[in-house]
Amino acid sequence: MSLLKVAVQKSGRLSEDSLKLFNECGIKFNNGAKKLKAQSHNFPIEFLFLRDDDIPGYVEDGIADIGIVGQNVHEEYGKDIEVVKYLGFSKCRLSLAIPREDSYTDVTYFEGKNLATSYPVILKKFLDEKGVKADVHEISGSVEIAPGIGLAEGICDIVSSGSTLLSNGLKEVETVMKSEAVMVASKSLSTDKKNILNQLIFRINAVLEGKNKKYVLLNAPNDSIDKIIDLLPGMRSPTVLPLAEKGWSSIHSVISEDDFWENIEKLREAGAEGVLVVPIEKMIK
């Protein structure tokens, strides 16, 4: 049977989040310490642990069938591969930053200035779209020190919390692009491997659909059911079951956690009692 070869970053937050997702999909494997390959014993998949910058090229060359990378890495390297799934984790942004003491109005600030970045392709495209001409210098690692050592007047780098910028006397002034983890695939997968990929995406969809969703159970007087159902739309519609006590029913529904907290007071005002909120591990539509 064919094995689907999956390239995953060998270390770091993206690696941890990717392996957690596969584990939540019920795919078991043992990657051990510093192993470069690992095969699942309950799903036809083999993991290759690689540098994130190398993953798009390995997928394009067919060494790996699919890979998980940051959207920023995919767009920077521009390999002939396709995004088959946006994964919703490892979110960050690629932003422009300048010395904290400098005044900033708009992107024309960068006209004629030197900018340091590890993402020259994305940055040049952004500047071209804005009609700004600047000198872009590609450097790898520690981009944030470039202004302090006189290499550049500004930088373009990945930002999550912004704490690294602050500790280096910089401030974020412009978002170039927002990024998240994406699953990329070779355009020349065999039929067998496409079928395995479809099975994998089915499992991933089930896991991601359950994220931030809650199963809500509550009791309510029958004359409040219509009002409560309006607040708990459910996947299709809520389930309503009669209680042993006449005139009361139990209402079951699935709702996003944000919607629940927005509506909890309205639910109570409508007569809801004994509200139970349960996390959802997986959800299949």
Side-chain angles (χ1 to χ4, degrees):
M1 185 178 182
S2 297
L3 283 177
L4 190 71
K5 295 184 178 180
V6 184
V8 177
Q9 186 175 324
K10 63 182 179 180
S11 61
R13 179 64 183 274
L14 181 57
S15 174
E16 294 171 3
D17 289 342
S18 301
L19 297 181
K20 179 183 177 184
L21 175 62
F22 285 110
N23 184 61
E24 291 172 334
C25 288
I27 297 172
K28 307 300 181 184
F29 60 95
N30 181 15
N31 61 319
K34 298 183 180 179
K35 277 190 178 181
L36 298 180
K37 293 199 304 182
Q39 185 174 328
S40 171
H41 58 265
N42 67 343
F43 193 82
I45 199 168
E46 181 179 52
F47 295 93
L48 307 177
F49 299 98
L50 308 168
R51 289 180 65 254
D52 58 340
D53 292 353
D54 294 335
I55 290 175
Y58 278 119
V59 174
E60 182 184 51
D61 293 341
I63 296 170
D65 300 310
I66 64 173
I68 296 180
V69 295
Q71 196 175 349
N72 55 300
V73 172
H74 170 60
E75 294 197 16
E76 177 66 25
Y77 287 91
K79 298 297 183 180
D80 188 25
I81 54 181
E82 58 183 333
V83 175
V84 293
K85 184 68 184 173
Y86 289 84
L87 298 172
F89 58 78
S90 296
K91 291 186 176 181
C92 60
R93 57 195 179 276
L94 186 62
S95 294
L96 285 159
I98 63 174
R100 197 160 48 219
E101 64 274 9
D102 286 9
S103 298
Y104 184 81
T105 52
D106 56 39
V107 73
T108 58
Y109 167 93
F110 296 103
E111 182 71 33
K113 288 186 168 61
N114 294 301
L115 294 172
T117 186
S118 299
Y119 301 93
V121 173
I122 295 173
L123 178 55
K124 287 175 183 176
K125 180 181 178 182
F126 174 82
L127 294 173
D128 287 344
E129 290 173 351
K130 298 294 183 180
V132 173
K133 292 184 179 180
D135 291 324
V136 176
H137 300 273
E138 181 179 2
I139 61 176
S140 58
S142 302
V143 175
E144 64 276 356
I145 71 169
I149 61 176
L151 179 63
E153 287 90 3
I155 69 165
C156 180
D157 201 15
I158 291 296
V159 179
S160 294
S161 66
S163 59
T164 302
L165 294 179
L166 289 174
S167 64
N168 284 276
L170 301 174
K171 61 182 178 182
E172 184 180 1
V173 294
E174 199 83 36
T175 299
V176 173
M177 73 169 289
K178 292 182 178 179
S179 178
E180 65 182 87
V182 294
M183 179 175 286
V184 295
S186 166
K187 292 184 176 180
S188 57
L189 293 180
S190 66
T191 300
D192 282 350
K193 291 188 175 183
K194 285 180 181 178
N195 289 336
I196 298 170
L197 176 57
N198 289 336
Q199 293 174 41
L200 175 61
I201 290 177
F202 175 83
R203 293 192 183 197
I204 289 173
N205 286 339
V207 170
L208 296 183
E209 284 292 337
K211 301 283 187 184
N212 199 41
K213 295 289 196 306
K214 301 297 179 184
Y215 189 75
V216 180
L217 302 85
L218 58 86
N219 298 329
N222 289 344
D223 57 8
S224 297
I225 289 176
D226 289 342
K227 188 182 296 185
I228 289 175
I229 284 176
D230 288 340
L231 298 170
L232 296 174
M235 292 177 67
R236 186 177 296 274
S237 66
T239 300
V240 180
L241 300 171
L243 293 180
E245 183 177 346
K246 289 184 178 180
W248 282 77
S249 293
S250 174
I251 302 175
H252 301 216
S253 187
V254 173
I255 189 170
S256 76
E257 188 166 15
D258 292 340
D259 289 341
F260 172 78
W261 288 115
E262 287 179 8
N263 289 327
I264 182 61
E265 289 303 324
K266 294 177 183 177
L267 289 169
R268 293 174 62 189
E269 289 170 4
E273 294 182 4
V275 181
L276 180 63
V277 183
V278 182
I280 296 174
E281 184 176 307
K282 297 171 184 66
M283 191 168 75
I284 299 170
K285 286 188 173 182

